[in-house]
Amino acid sequence: MRVHNLSIVSMLTINALSASPLLADEQAEVPAYRYGTQLDVARVIRIEEPAPLTCEIVRAKMTFVNTQGVTERISFLKQAEACSRE
């Protein structure tokens, strides 16, 4: 019984430690776009945004590759998709 409990605790610990870098990357601060910022966008990878049911302003996050091949992220304000359905 003791070995079984130890195995479960070990597996949970390993799982938690291996997932922590993923969570850190997901929760990392994304710089906000400011008017006049020069963006060097060669290819957009994805745009993430909240999906409220009402028309409102949301903070979207864009992940893109610049012309040097470096992946970058920036956040910006935009109208929610719900605004286009009203």
Side-chain angles (χ1 to χ4, degrees), residues 30-74:
V30 178
Y33 174 82
R34 297 199 182 276
Y35 182 76
T37 300
Q38 297 294 315
L39 295 179
D40 177 20
V41 179
R43 182 174 55 96
V44 174
I45 296 172
R46 75 173 167 250
I47 296 178
E48 306 164 65
E49 67 179 87
L53 298 176
T54 59
C55 181
E56 59 187 82
I57 302 298
V58 296
R59 180 160 300 277
K61 295 175 187 170
M62 179 174 68
T63 304
F64 63 95
V65 177
N66 67 20
T67 56
Q68 305 300 312
V70 177
T71 301
E72 297 185 48
R73 293 183 78 194
I74 194 160

